[in-house]
Structure formats: structure tokens, C-alpha cells
Amino acid sequence: MATPELSLREVTLEDAKLLFDWANDPDTRRHSFSSGAIEWREHRHWLQDKLHDPLCRFYIVEHAGAPVGQVRFDLKSVDAAAVISISLDPKRRGEGLGTAAICAGVARLRQDTDVVVIHAFIKQTNAASLRVFQKAGFRDLRAKPDAQVARLSLELMPAPR
Ligand SMILES: CC(C)(COP(=O)(O)OP(=O)(O)OC[C@H]1O[C@@H](n2cnc3c(N)ncnc32)[C@H](O)[C@@H]1OP(=O)(O)O)[C@@H](O)C(=O)NCCC(=O)NCCS
């Protein structure tokens, strides 16, 4: 499958409804670590906090000008570790966009920060997610893998500036 051309733009408060709908998709909830339904007010507060957090990098992924998903990095500091979170519009899954979205997000993070390692925490039952992160180069670097939650990591070389 050819690699889809994706672009990223920063999330704004106007994306609240879009992100809310994607986050409440049953498959997304099932694969999350807190799997209950999300309330609108709680979601708005959460998004406002994320948008004001200097250690959060949050992007809408676009394909042919239309939003298809989101990728978010929560950083420990701008030169240390980050945790990645990704989800696609439920209608756009199964097209090979997941790996491309991760790669686009990682490239952007390398440009904008000196983060040296990115971790993805994934339930072992989430086969599609395990696969897309592995295809994007993430590996389990721990001596003893966890039985229920995989931590796949990508070590980064600094990008030329
Ligand atoms: C994870 C996610 C981004 C992947 O999206 P995607 O790129 O459309 O994924 P696909 O459905 O194309 O599946 C990716 C790969 O996994 C494989 N796969 C999917 N479901 C599978 C299953 N149940 N068992 C085995 N392999 C499976 C696909 O065959 C595909 O393999 P290929 O690339 O070799 O063809 C998307 O499913 C999503 O948004 N899920 C909800 C949120 C989520 O789980 N986020 C990650 C939290 S860590």
C-alpha cells in the first residue's frame, strides 16, 4: 500500500466536538486505559488544560485537507521522554493511515523538541495498534515485557536544525 500523504495542524478549541466524537467511539474507549464514556463538560476542561500545557503537543492529522485523526505527545520535558497517543476517525480505519500518522507526528516532534525517546502504552488486546506502532519502528525495549500492557518505544536521533 502506498504511504498516504498526511499533514498535521495544531489542535484548537474549535476541534473539541471532533475530538469528543472520536474519543467516544466504542472501539477507542475499549482500548483506552479509562474505558468509561466521556462527558462533554469534562472533555472541554481536559482539552483546555491540554492546550495550555507547554509539555503537550497535540495535532489533528489531515488527509487531502480533511481531518482523519489525532496524535498527541505528553512530554516529561522538552529534552527527555514523551508518551504518544493516537486515534483515527472510526470511518477512516483500515486504510493504512495509522502508521503514516505516527510517522508524521514523530517527524514533527523531532523538529520542535529535543525529545530522545517516545513511549506508546498499548493493551496487548489492541492488535491494530501494536501493529501500526511496530511498523513505525517502535520496539519493546524492556527486559520483561508486561503481560497486559505493551510499552513500545522509539529512540530518536536529534534532527538537523
Ligand atoms: C490503532 C489505530 C490508529 C490503527 O488504525 P489503522 O492504521 O487504520 O489500522 P488498520 O485497521 O489498518 O490495522 C493496522 C494493521 O493491523 C492489522 N490488524 C488490525 N486488526 C487486527 C487484529 N484484530 N488482529 C491482527 N491484526 C490486526 C491490520 O491487518 C493491519 O496490518 P497491515 O498493516 O499489515 O495490513 C486505529 O485502529 C484506532 O484509531 N483505534 C482506536 C484508538 C486506539 O486504539 N489507539 C491506540 C491506543 S494505544
Side-chain angles (χ1 to χ4, degrees):
M1 202 188 290
T3 305
E5 277 210 26
L6 302 179
S7 56
L8 299 186
R9 66 166 174 81
E10 288 184 9
V11 167
T12 73
L13 209 48
E14 291 181 9
D15 297 308
K17 178 71 169 73
L18 185 68
L19 293 167
F20 179 73
D21 291 342
W22 290 345
N24 269 327
D25 159 64
D27 262 348
T28 305
R29 297 298 345 119
R30 190 160 52 85
H31 293 308
S32 293
F33 292 101
S34 50
S35 44
I38 299 171
E39 300 293 331
W40 172 246
R41 276 168 60 91
E42 178 199 343
H43 171 72
R44 287 269 308 192
H45 284 135
W46 173 86
L47 183 58
Q48 265 162 342
D49 285 352
K50 287 291 174 198
L51 296 180
H52 288 111
D53 182 351
L55 294 178
C56 177
R57 306 295 154 104
F58 202 171
Y59 306 103
I60 296 292
V61 181
E62 296 188 328
H63 183 236
V68 294
Q70 59 91 22
V71 59
R72 194 182 82 238
F73 298 94
D74 290 301
L75 280 58
K76 218 170 162 56
S77 75
V78 288
D79 60 0
V83 173
I84 182 172
S85 155
I86 183 176
S87 64
L88 294 180
D89 178 340
K91 296 190 290 295
R92 301 301 304 264
R93 294 179 192 163
E95 297 177 35
L97 297 177
T99 302
I102 294 165
C103 293
V106 168
R108 179 71 169 260
L109 191 73
R110 287 184 73 213
Q111 287 298 327
D112 293 353
T113 71
D114 293 316
V115 161
V116 292
V117 62
I118 305 171
H119 302 298
F121 293 90
I122 308 165
K123 288 184 181 172
Q124 296 282 10
T125 49
N126 192 352
S129 185
L130 289 168
R131 179 95 178 115
V132 291
F133 277 101
Q134 280 160 353
K135 285 174 80 174
F138 284 65
R139 299 286 175 260
D140 196 333
L141 304 176
R142 288 190 289 197
K144 281 193 194 164
D146 188 295
Q148 268 140 31
V149 179
R151 189 192 74 182
L152 301 189
S153 305
L154 182 71
E155 293 178 309
L156 302 180
M157 300 287 285
R161 296 244 166 88

